[in-house]
Amino acid sequence: MSVPQLLRELHQLTRQVNEETVQSEHALGNIAKTHERIQTEMRSTVSPYFRCKLRGLYTTAGEDAKRTLDLVNQSLDRITEIKALRSSKRVGRGLASSAFAAEQEVQQQAVRKSAMRRGVLMSMLQKTAKELPVFEKTSSKQSQALVGSNAAGNNYHAKPGDQIAALVETSEGEEQWILAEVASYSVTSSTYVIEDIDEEGKSVRDRHSVTKSYVVPLPKYKADPAVMPNALFPVGQKVMALYPQTTCFYPGLIDARPSHAEAEYMISFEDNSYVEGYSPPLEVPQRYVLLWKEPKRRHRH
């Protein structure tokens, strides 16, 4: 690669570093605001809501920092290559430069193949929700279970690989509805083995064994309000919805229904840091809005 080409790459990397820095400052600002809300509650312990929210914000900020560091390292590599090309007098300097670049590419691939970044996971979840098909009725006998707000039948059980909401016990000993993936299901004991979808900072996903009553299947289809208005939750309905940029479900109220099949719900999440007891409405896709299920005394496995 020639010096002019390397200089162009360096210029582009510098711009990306500036963009990542702005994004990091925004994430740090959100963390500071959340801490301020916690302090206004004057509580000795942090609630599960704020704990999960802060965990998500800190993880996002950490990934922003990793991306910035990666870009800075790439910039330094380009500078090193430019210096080597300009100062080297050896005939074989082109081969040396190619070997150096190849080594750097191997290192960068190792970074890319490391644990999935939270930002990538969030993008995948949004993509999955967006690509969820809209239900089209073809016959009067066609089942409408798991269409929009329609629940699954009593005899239904999710298949391995399906994403579900599951009530699990956290490392702090508290119960939390999380987004998980089914690993297996035992018909005999009506028990699922599920894996936490969020593998951030872990070499393997956390596994839990939960009974069927602590699992809620996600919708398989979106409901078109113009065709199936009854398959959408009404305004004011208490639900549990995936809080944006996290993998946890929290209770909230429907503030507005989707206006069309591709639109999202507006959810006001329970949040006692606000005078009204609820957050301002946030957008959540149909796939991640479920009927609120009150936790009961769990049977341990």
Side-chain angles (χ1 to χ4, degrees):
M1 189 177 293
S2 66
V3 170
Q5 288 175 314
L6 289 170
L7 286 171
R8 283 195 293 271
E9 280 197 12
L10 181 60
H11 177 69
Q12 183 65 27
L13 286 167
T14 303
R15 291 181 58 185
Q16 291 176 0
V17 168
N18 290 334
E19 292 171 358
E20 287 293 340
T21 300
V22 172
Q23 186 171 331
S24 295
E25 290 175 350
H26 178 70
L28 292 173
N30 286 336
I31 291 173
K33 290 178 182 178
T34 302
H35 277 292
E36 289 175 1
R37 290 178 183 173
I38 293 173
Q39 290 175 356
T40 59
E41 291 187 3
M42 301 295 288
R43 292 190 174 187
S44 58
T45 59
V46 181
S47 66
Y49 166 79
F50 279 119
R51 187 178 295 114
C52 190
K53 183 176 181 180
L54 280 172
R55 183 163 56 240
L57 289 172
Y58 272 111
T59 303
T60 300
E63 292 302 331
D64 288 343
K66 288 179 184 178
R67 286 193 293 272
T68 302
L69 179 60
D70 184 45
L71 289 168
V72 170
N73 286 334
Q74 290 182 54
S75 300
L76 292 173
D77 291 340
R78 297 299 175 268
I79 292 172
T80 301
E81 290 181 69
I82 291 169
K83 287 182 176 180
L85 284 172
R86 284 179 170 174
S87 63
S88 177
K89 301 297 183 182
R90 293 175 298 170
V91 174
R93 66 181 182 273
L95 293 175
S97 178
S98 298
F100 179 83
E103 181 182 350
Q104 294 302 309
E105 179 62 24
V106 170
Q107 293 178 1
Q108 291 168 19
Q109 287 180 1
V111 172
R112 289 194 290 267
K113 291 180 181 179
S114 62
M116 180 185 295
R117 292 176 174 176
R118 190 176 189 84
V120 176
L121 173 59
M122 295 301 114
S123 296
M124 284 179 57
L125 297 181
Q126 285 293 324
K127 184 173 184 291
T128 302
K130 187 177 181 62
E131 293 178 351
L132 195 69
V134 178
F135 181 77
E136 295 183 4
K137 190 173 182 179
T138 57
S139 71
S140 58
K141 296 182 179 180
Q142 189 177 3
S143 172
Q144 296 182 12
L146 297 180
V147 176
S149 62
N150 292 343
N154 292 331
N155 296 326
Y156 177 87
H157 63 81
K159 310 281 190 303
D162 284 355
Q163 289 185 357
I164 45 88
L167 185 66
V168 302
E169 189 173 292
T170 67
S171 57
E172 293 85 7
E174 298 171 336
E175 292 186 330
Q176 175 69 61
W177 286 100
I178 66 168
L179 181 63
E181 188 174 288
V182 174
S184 64
Y185 177 74
S186 170
V187 177
T188 305
S189 61
S190 296
T191 302
Y192 286 95
V193 173
I194 58 105
E195 295 181 343
D196 189 342
I197 199 72
D198 190 353
E199 59 187 20
E200 182 63 37
K202 309 164 191 171
S203 57
V204 294
R205 288 180 175 179
D206 289 337
R207 281 200 166 199
H208 304 270
S209 180
V210 294
T211 59
K212 186 178 179 180
S213 59
Y214 291 101
V215 167
V216 179
L218 301 187
K220 295 286 188 182
Y221 299 92
K222 286 182 282 196
D224 185 343
V227 180
M228 300 180 65
N230 293 333
L232 292 168
F233 292 112
V235 172
Q237 173 71 54
K238 184 173 183 178
V239 295
M240 57 182 184
L242 200 67
Y243 194 90
Q245 298 303 309
T246 76
T247 56
C248 298
F249 289 84
Y250 287 102
L253 300 179
I254 301 292
D255 185 79
R257 289 153 49 106
S259 57
H260 54 85
E262 301 302 329
E264 301 182 348
Y265 282 102
M266 297 298 293
I267 308 292
S268 294
F269 288 92
E270 291 185 2
D271 188 341
N272 53 17
S273 66
Y274 292 93
V275 176
E276 301 83 0
Y278 292 91
S279 71
L282 298 172
E283 290 187 333
V284 182
Q286 285 193 42
R287 178 172 172 80
Y288 304 125
V289 180
L290 309 169
L291 184 66
W292 169 248
K293 194 170 185 180
E294 195 72 38
K296 301 176 182 178
R297 185 178 296 276
R298 101 176 13 259
H299 179 267
R300 296 179 183 274
H301 292 270

